[in-house]
Amino acid sequence: MHRDTKGWVFVGPFLAVFALTFLAPIGYAIYLSLFREQAFFGGNVFVGLDNYADVIADSKFWESFLRVLTFLVVQVPVMLILALLAALAIDSARLHGASFFRIVIFLPYAVPGVVAVLMWGFIYGDNFGLAADLNNLLGSTAIKPLSGHWMLPSIANIVTWEFVGYNMLIFYSALRTVPEELYEAAAIDGASALRTVRAVKLPALRGAVVIATIFSIIGSFQLFNEPNILRTLAPNVITTYYTPNMYAYNLSFAGQQFNYSATVAIVMGVITAVIAYVVQLRGSREAL
Amino acid sequence: MSTRTSPLRPRRSPLLTGLMILYLVYTLVPLLWLFLSATKTQGDLLSSPGLWFGHRFALFANIRDTLTYNDGIFLRWLGNTLLYVVVGAGGATLLATAAGYGLAKYKFKGRRAVFAVLLGAVAVPGTALAVPTFLMFSNLGLTNTVWAIIIPSLVSPFGLYLMWVYASDAIPHDLLEAARIDGAGEVRIFFTVALRLLAPGIVTVLLFAVVSTWNNYFLPLIMLSKPNLYPLTVGLTQWSNQATGVGARPIYNLVITGSLLTIVPLVVAFLLLQRFWQSGLTAGSVKQ
């Protein structure tokens, strides 16, 4: 065996499954998106890009898209900044019991998203939740996390609760790779703690921040579990097209519109990939 | 800062610790609520304060009811989850480890193409693929079988990335050359020499694969319609949905106790293995 081919022995099995579960569905979705089911005669007819034109003109799609975009623009920065501050605090050596904080703040990541939503859904509810307790305590009825205005922030709170610890750990791991000499050099230069953060720590975190941002953007555009589970508690607030992913799901499983659903999935995939790519380009060019 | 301290040995800050405790409270209150609620009867859930015990300590009765309700379907779901985790996450770790090692240690033709395809595919949101994957698996007759969950779980691009970076650092080329001179085959070198050096990385990848398989909700939700194949996450939401709609039979206490039982194994695994996985993340994952 020539050295050139030996690597394939190790990479091959992964790629085979990868092809079956990533590449084939992408190809199949593209194929589906070019056809349309005949209502009366049955069978599929080739319609070219008609489905794409329909998605572009679909107000339900854009409503759901704008909703996740709003979510993304507010929730992701809040979550990442909290994670960044926590990582810097834990790394600063100024904290009592730093390793205890590290593991406890990470714990929500081990809680299945479904359980987190069920739990927060109960907490938000009027029946036996903490929202009700709080309202009783304040003698008010103002706190309604499951009402129309509050729903998106309520979902954002669940996602933040789940993922701050995970991102904190990514940032903390990056901080651990800073060589000790850099801190010594900063100390000799008489740099203050804040200056050390700006000059040494933040630059070291850049790559991790870019990766975390990309994962968070992908996650936001995929938003599904939280609204879909909360829908049973607030069916009038959360529509079947509350997020693009819920829209694609309901088109498929409630509406049997598989071709259109595949088109929605592809459009979201392309938008996500483009934004992730832009973030990566900007992230690798600009300083933090 | 009024006092001068060495930036390398800074003083502990009560203010910083206090702020972090605030965040800790936010992290822990929902989990505390879940634990306390799991100790209550359904009646107490509705009538007692959320962050304190009810009239009767019903934790053990709740656990017994959860495990025996509906002919012990919860145990069936637990067994399914374990199957998906052991085969899916175990297989994902093996495939990612082999592929990461192959990419890190062999310069073979097509290596760059592999990178490009992986990066491109990872940018496509996983859930955007879910609907096409469902349709494809449906055509292959794989829906409503355990394979519909196991096969997609076998691919972890994040795990591959982690192992690839880790293997680049952790395995010296000289060691591989020495083994080759001794006449060992490539596969044997992988199993006898490389695996041992990769251990912290493998534990890290395994733990993250376990979490994502254990927490998987969207994929089983669309792939499975037979309750006896459900994992815990889908089963729990089904129990939760039982509380609304026509013929509602709320079993809040079982949903809550089941949620607690779903969290415990992962939390224990993270706590027991934290030394390993944290060193795996720090040593390999996010280096620039």
Side-chain angles (χ1 to χ4, degrees), chain B residues 100 104 159-170 283-287:
Chain B
L160 170 67
Y161 170 75
L162 220 63
M163 281 318 299
W164 160 44
V165 182
Y166 195 84
S168 312
D169 277 1
S285 71
V286 219
K287 246 180 207 170

Side-chain angles (χ1 to χ4, degrees), chain A residues 4 10 18 26 28 32 93-94 102 106 110 112 114 122 128 133 157 161 164 169 176 222 224 232 245 252 258 265, chain B residues 12-13 23 26-27 33 45 50 98 108 125-129 131 135 139 215 217-218 241 266 270 277-278 282:
Chain A
D4 236 1
F10 297 101
F18 182 79
I26 292 176
Y28 189 55
L32 280 175
R94 301 176 142 264
R102 190 171 71 222
F106 176 72
V114 166
F122 282 131
F128 39 90
D133 284 359
N157 173 54
W161 183 82
V164 162
L169 206 70
R176 294 276 85 187
Q222 286 185 22
F224 177 84
T232 33
N245 216 355
S252 272
F258 295 116
Chain B
R12 306 261 187 238
S13 158
Y23 193 81
Y26 169 67
T27 302
W33 175 90
L45 273 176
F108 55 90
T127 28
L129 288 177
V131 171
L135 296 171
N139 286 338
N215 295 356
Y217 168 70
F218 190 60
N241 292 344
L266 284 185
F270 265 109
W277 61 263
Q278 293 207 11
T282 310

Side-chain angles (χ1 to χ4, degrees), chain A:
Chain A
M1 212 197 292
H2 189 259
R3 174 67 46 83
D4 236 1
T5 58
K6 279 176 184 163
W8 287 105
V9 174
F10 297 101
V11 183
F14 180 95
L15 283 182
V17 188
F18 182 79
L20 183 67
T21 55
F22 271 82
L23 304 183
I26 292 176
Y28 189 55
I30 293 171
Y31 169 81
L32 280 175
S33 71
L34 302 175
F35 289 83
R36 188 172 289 167
E37 191 138 347
Q38 292 280 71
F40 298 106
F41 308 105
N44 279 329
V45 283
F46 182 80
V47 293
L49 297 178
D50 283 9
N51 286 326
Y52 289 90
D54 286 355
V55 172
I56 301 301
D58 187 342
S59 62
K60 284 182 179 173
F61 172 75
W62 289 112
E63 189 191 316
S64 66
F65 177 78
L66 282 180
R67 192 172 288 116
V68 287
L69 194 66
T70 313
F71 179 89
L72 175 119
V73 169
V74 179
Q75 189 268 337
V76 170
V78 169
M79 173 180 68
L80 293 184
I81 288 170
L82 280 175
L84 199 62
L85 293 176
L88 286 170
I90 289 170
D91 186 63
S92 71
R94 301 176 142 264
L95 205 60
H96 295 273
S99 57
F100 172 74
F101 282 106
R102 190 171 71 222
I103 189 73
V104 172
I105 289 175
F106 176 72
L107 273 190
Y109 178 72
V111 175
V114 166
V115 171
V117 185
L118 289 174
M119 191 170 75
W120 277 102
F122 282 131
I123 291 175
Y124 288 155
D126 311 325
N127 278 339
F128 39 90
L130 296 180
D133 284 359
L134 211 56
N135 276 330
N136 288 341
L137 197 71
L138 303 170
S140 80
T141 52
I143 302 168
K144 287 185 191 147
L146 296 173
S147 63
H149 284 301
W150 285 80
M151 185 55 86
L152 207 55
S154 296
I155 294 174
N157 173 54
I158 301 178
V159 177
T160 306
W161 183 82
E162 285 179 276
F163 289 106
V164 162
Y166 174 76
N167 288 302
M168 176 270 290
L169 206 70
I170 301 276
F171 296 154
Y172 176 77
S173 305
L175 285 174
R176 294 276 85 187
T177 63
V178 175
E180 188 78 4
E181 298 90 67
L182 278 182
Y183 292 130
E184 278 163 19
I188 290 165
D189 289 348
S192 69
L194 280 182
R195 173 117 187 92
T196 311
V197 166
R198 268 189 47 204
V200 179
K201 296 195 178 190
L202 289 185
L205 279 167
R206 210 172 98 189
V209 169
V210 171
I211 289 174
T213 308
I214 289 173
F215 278 137
S216 304
I217 290 172
I218 293 175
S220 302
F221 278 144
Q222 286 185 22
L223 202 61
F224 177 84
N225 292 6
E226 290 82 4
N228 196 52
I229 294 170
L230 289 175
R231 194 171 134 71
T232 33
L233 298 176
N236 297 324
V237 175
I238 297 180
T239 55
T240 53
Y241 54 93
Y242 196 75
T243 70
N245 216 355
M246 280 182 74
Y247 191 35
Y249 170 80
N250 285 308
L251 283 169
S252 272
F253 292 92
Q256 303 287 311
Q257 290 176 271
F258 295 116
N259 302 83
Y260 195 59
S261 169
T263 317
V264 169
I266 291 172
V267 172
M268 273 318 286
V270 169
I271 293 175
T272 311
V274 167
I275 293 181
Y277 185 67
V278 170
V279 169
Q280 199 192 0
L281 277 188
R282 282 183 59 99
S284 52
R285 203 156 9 97
E286 285 173 21
L288 201 89

